[in-house]
RNA sequence: GGAGAGAUGGCCGAGUGGUCGAAGGCGCUCCCCUGCUAAGGGAGUAUGGGGUUUAUAGCCUCAUCGAGGGUUCGAAUCCCUCUCUCUCCGCCA
């Protein structure tokens, strides 16, 4: 959420910035609501002050045993009028709130303007792209011919965009998450978190998935309770990313300066409806309704958030370096960034079968955008409560990492070598190949 | 699932219709005193809005005692709904 003060004092600049990420801010409506709000709020508060003062006088008079009927009759008529004002004010404020909740974050000045993927800027590349002297296969062919990937059964169990991973490949998948968690905890100093996979509306509103992106989420309705519908009913949403529970740790908190910065890491499944992505990445593990991810979240002092963003990306890159997978880092342009982000780096891993780099991590600085929605604050050097800055990034998407390993480490005989750093997690196994009886 | 109890400021805890944003204690901050660690005295110490203002200063004001609604001139206190916590029983990974 943007600072409403900014909208009041510098609306032109803000709307221009928003336009660069193709968001049209409803200027007229906002101005009208603000004007109404100011008028009604002032009047409401005057009436409230009047009522409070009179009530106090009645109380004083009664305690002295005096007669209070004159004040009483004066204030009795106030009630209905005040109620009308309060109702109207409430409506205006919730309309304003609804507008604000749908406005995306402002891009940082260093973010390139652009209209889509093609305007993202490459920051750096790492690793040597391997040249193959045989006909390469994509990860689906590799996995299926090794009998370790079974999409047919997954369709039977659930439907499209689900997968069944078997045997040593399932173990490799598990090895990857262990390896990622260990690296971030032991080498990068993160606090490991085990968090809920089901969260409430407030949490999703805090990080920005709600109210605007409801259709991207899976909703769980338990007996008699629904997540959407009535505001005061309760139910759950499946998390689309661990960013939601990890960042919401500090919702409605005022943390002491000495606890900053915070770095959390968690491994969770992620659930996405993928509404509107029909026909995109229908093959293989790339785009699934359910996938595992190791997520990194930083909670930092506002002065340090851009430094933290670089650190965060480096932490994610470290995983690819250790796995010896070639990648590049991209700065997303204004129109390609997510709703809550002020600046985002994507890490894209090389996928030989697609002959291209594909997103495997997205690292964003949300500045105070999420913190304002969450009322997540800290007590600064002068003892004042101040909004925190929040950052999040994948470190990494496990399924896509598995894809990258299968494709980059494939051998001419159809087997797949196991990256050295993962072998200790595989009981020393160094090769995925067909074994009998699967 | 059944029965009962509860939710107040950083923490503990008082407060069952009026001068309560809230006694008291602990903690914390600042000051004073005491030649040390100890002890004592004083002051301060919730959050979010709005208005005014060059001002994150000051002043005025509103809201908030788990959340939402209601009764009332007036609600921490009464009523309703919900959420959460605790105790006992049952069930259970």
């Amino acid at each position: 959420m943007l600072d409403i003060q900014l909208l009041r004092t510098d609306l032109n600049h803000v709307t221009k910035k928003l336009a660069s990420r193709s968001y049209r801010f409803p200027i007229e409506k906002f101005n009208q609501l603000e004007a109404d709000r100011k008028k009604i709020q002032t009047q409401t508060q005057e009436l409230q002050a009047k009522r409070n003062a009179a009530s106090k006088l009645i109380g004083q008079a009664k305690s002295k045993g005096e007669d209070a009927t004159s004040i009483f009759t004066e204030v009795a008529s106030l009630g209905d009028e005040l109620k009308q004002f309060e109702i109207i004010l409430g409506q205006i404020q919730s309309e304003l709130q609804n507008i604000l909740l749908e406005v995306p974050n402002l891009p940082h000045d260093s973010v390139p303007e652009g209209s889509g993927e093609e305007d993202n800027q490459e920051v750096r590349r790492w690793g040597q792209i391997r040249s193959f002297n045989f006909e390469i296969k994509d990860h689906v062919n590799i996995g299926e011919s090794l009998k370790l990937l079974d999409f047919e059964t997954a369709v039977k169990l659930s439907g499209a965009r689900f997968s069944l991973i078997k045997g040593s490949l399932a173990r490799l998948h598990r090895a990857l998450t262990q390896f990622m968690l260990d690296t971030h905890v032991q080498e990068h100093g993160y606090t490991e978190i085990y968090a809920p996979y089901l969260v409430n509306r407030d949490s999703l509103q805090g990080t920005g998935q709600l109210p605007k992106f409801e259709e991207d989420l899976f909703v769980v309705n338990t007996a008699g309770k629904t997540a959407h519908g009535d505001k005061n009913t309760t139910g759950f949403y499946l998390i689309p990313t661990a960013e939601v529970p990890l960042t919401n740790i500090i919702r409605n908190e005022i943390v002491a300066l000495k606890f900053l910065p915070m770095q959390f890491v968690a491994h969770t499944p992620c659930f996405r409806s993928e509404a509107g992505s029909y026909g995109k990445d229908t093959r293989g593990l790339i785009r699934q309704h359910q996938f595992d991810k190791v997520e990194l979240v930083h909670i930092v002092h506002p002065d340090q958030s851009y430094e933290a963003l670089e650190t965060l990306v480096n932490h994610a890159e470290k995983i690819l370096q250790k796995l010896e997978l070639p990648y590049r880092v991209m700065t997303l342009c204004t129109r390609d960034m997510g709703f809550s982000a002020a600046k985002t780096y994507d890490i894209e891993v090389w996928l030989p079968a697609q002959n291209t780099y594909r997103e495997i991590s997205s690292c964003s600085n949300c500045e105070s955008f999420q913190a304002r929605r969450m009322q997540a604050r800290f007590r600064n050097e002068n003892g004042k409560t101040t909004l925190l800055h929040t950052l999040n990034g994948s470190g990494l998407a496990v399924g896509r990492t598995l894809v990258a390993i299968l494709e980059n480490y494939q051998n001419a005989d159809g087997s797949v070598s196991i990256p050295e750093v993962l072998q200790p997690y595989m009981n020393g196994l160094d090769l995925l190949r067909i074994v009998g009886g699967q």
Side-chain angles (χ1 to χ4, degrees):
Chain A
M1 200 158 71
L2 300 181
D3 185 358
I4 193 166
Q5 297 297 350
L6 201 62
L7 293 165
R8 288 181 186 140
T9 55
D10 205 4
L11 192 56
N12 277 340
H13 174 247
V14 173
T15 51
K16 206 173 287 173
K17 278 240 153 196
L18 287 172
S20 79
R21 40 144 88 216
S22 62
Y23 184 81
R24 228 181 105 250
F25 185 84
I27 301 172
E28 309 262 298
K29 193 175 176 198
F30 176 79
N31 282 335
Q32 183 59 52
L33 282 168
E34 258 297 289
D36 290 349
R37 191 225 92 226
K38 188 164 174 173
K39 200 175 74 193
I40 302 290
Q41 184 163 5
T42 306
Q43 289 172 332
T44 306
Q45 290 190 356
E46 273 168 14
L47 285 172
Q48 284 169 330
K50 206 161 149 191
R51 179 205 60 195
N52 290 349
S55 296
K56 202 170 232 181
L57 283 177
I58 293 171
Q60 283 168 350
K62 284 209 167 177
S63 70
K64 289 184 205 147
E66 292 167 5
D67 179 48
T69 44
S70 63
I71 319 168
F72 203 92
T73 49
E74 189 186 320
V75 85
S77 58
L78 231 73
D80 290 340
E81 196 187 1
L82 182 55
K83 185 155 284 177
Q84 286 312 306
F85 273 97
E86 282 174 344
I87 289 168
I88 294 167
L89 180 62
Q91 286 167 348
I92 293 170
Q93 281 178 328
S94 79
E95 270 190 73
L96 275 169
Q97 179 76 353
N98 290 342
I99 291 178
L100 286 179
L101 283 172
E102 303 230 332
V103 178
N105 203 356
L106 298 180
H108 187 256
D109 286 338
S110 66
V111 172
E113 265 200 50
S115 50
E117 213 177 307
E118 63 284 356
D119 292 315
N120 296 341
Q121 285 178 2
E122 184 172 315
V123 180
R124 58 181 165 271
R125 281 181 194 220
W126 186 94
Q128 191 72 41
I129 290 172
R130 184 181 156 195
S131 58
F132 294 88
N133 55 6
F134 56 90
E135 181 121 352
I136 57 167
K137 301 195 263 188
D138 76 354
H139 73 276
V140 178
N141 281 334
I142 298 166
E144 286 183 336
S145 38
L146 287 170
K147 312 275 185 215
L148 298 176
L149 261 182
D150 182 352
F151 288 104
E152 246 176 74
T153 303
V155 166
K156 177 174 74 180
L157 299 180
S158 303
R161 293 207 190 283
F162 286 92
S163 54
L164 191 85
I165 309 175
K166 302 198 315 197
S168 49
L169 190 59
R171 178 159 191 179
L172 186 64
H173 184 263
R174 174 159 58 91
L176 268 173
T177 71
Q178 300 304 322
F179 160 69
M180 289 178 192
L181 281 170
D182 285 349
T183 302
H184 294 310
V185 170
Q186 289 161 25
E187 295 179 29
H188 301 149
Y190 285 75
T191 303
E192 183 172 351
I193 305 282
Y194 172 79
Y197 303 157
L198 294 165
V199 295
N200 57 32
R201 283 191 73 90
D202 286 347
S203 292
L204 286 156
Q205 182 171 300
T207 34
Q209 284 79 14
L210 288 179
K212 209 173 183 178
F213 306 102
E214 175 119 30
E215 72 278 6
D216 295 336
L217 300 167
F218 283 112
V219 188
V220 176
N221 295 327
T222 48
K225 298 177 171 183
T226 53
H228 48 215
D230 288 352
K231 270 182 292 201
N232 52 359
T233 59
T234 54
F236 298 117
Y237 290 84
L238 283 160
I239 54 170
T241 159
E243 166 198 345
V244 178
L246 291 185
T247 308
N248 275 279
I249 287 173
I250 45 127
R251 172 153 55 84
N252 286 325
E253 299 289 337
I254 302 174
V255 305
L257 193 57
K258 64 179 174 186
F259 293 125
L260 298 178
M262 299 179 184
Q263 297 190 341
F264 300 125
V265 61
H267 158 235
T268 71
C270 303
F271 301 94
R272 300 187 180 177
S273 76
E274 294 299 342
S277 63
Y278 305 109
K280 235 192 262 175
D281 300 313
T282 48
R283 183 175 166 83
L285 289 170
I286 294 289
R287 193 174 297 276
Q288 302 270 286
H289 286 312
Q290 172 189 320
F291 63 95
D292 278 25
K293 185 154 61 72
V294 170
E295 181 77 0
L296 308 173
V297 161
H298 289 212
I299 311 293
V300 304
H301 190 291
D303 293 349
Q304 273 139 38
S305 64
Y306 278 93
E307 210 175 303
L309 179 60
E310 300 300 321
T311 309
L312 180 59
V313 183
N314 290 340
H315 288 163
E317 284 176 72
K318 191 76 186 179
I319 300 296
L320 288 170
Q321 291 170 10
K322 284 179 175 248
L323 292 170
E324 299 182 69
L325 291 168
Y327 65 86
R328 62 179 189 179
V329 179
M330 309 291 287
T331 306
L332 295 194
C333 73
T334 47
R335 244 160 264 216
D336 213 25
M337 278 198 302
F339 180 73
S340 300
K343 180 169 185 174
T344 299
Y345 291 119
D346 269 11
I347 304 177
E348 299 178 343
V349 70
W350 177 255
L351 294 186
Q354 295 192 12
N355 196 37
T356 186
Y357 288 97
R358 286 301 302 259
E359 177 189 340
I360 197 167
S361 170
S362 191
C363 302
S364 301
N365 182 1
C366 300
E367 298 186 1
S368 61
F369 186 84
Q370 294 178 324
R372 188 170 293 107
R373 291 171 159 254
M374 293 190 296
Q375 281 301 313
R377 297 147 296 167
F378 72 106
R379 215 167 279 287
N380 73 10
E381 300 78 356
N382 306 315
K384 267 198 103 94
T385 55
T386 312
L387 292 171
L388 288 156
H389 279 196
T390 60
L391 301 93
N392 64 77
S394 355
L396 309 160
V398 180
R400 289 189 181 182
T401 310
L402 200 66
V403 169
I405 289 173
L406 287 176
E407 294 196 2
N408 283 281
Y409 279 84
Q410 63 179 298
N411 301 315
D413 64 358
S415 68
V416 176
S417 301
I418 295 174
E420 217 170 307
V421 287
L422 295 179
Q423 290 172 17
Y425 293 92
M426 297 291 290
N427 202 22
L429 192 70
D430 62 359
L431 203 67
L432 300 178
R433 58 195 153 87
I434 298 192
V435 289
Q438 291 181 68

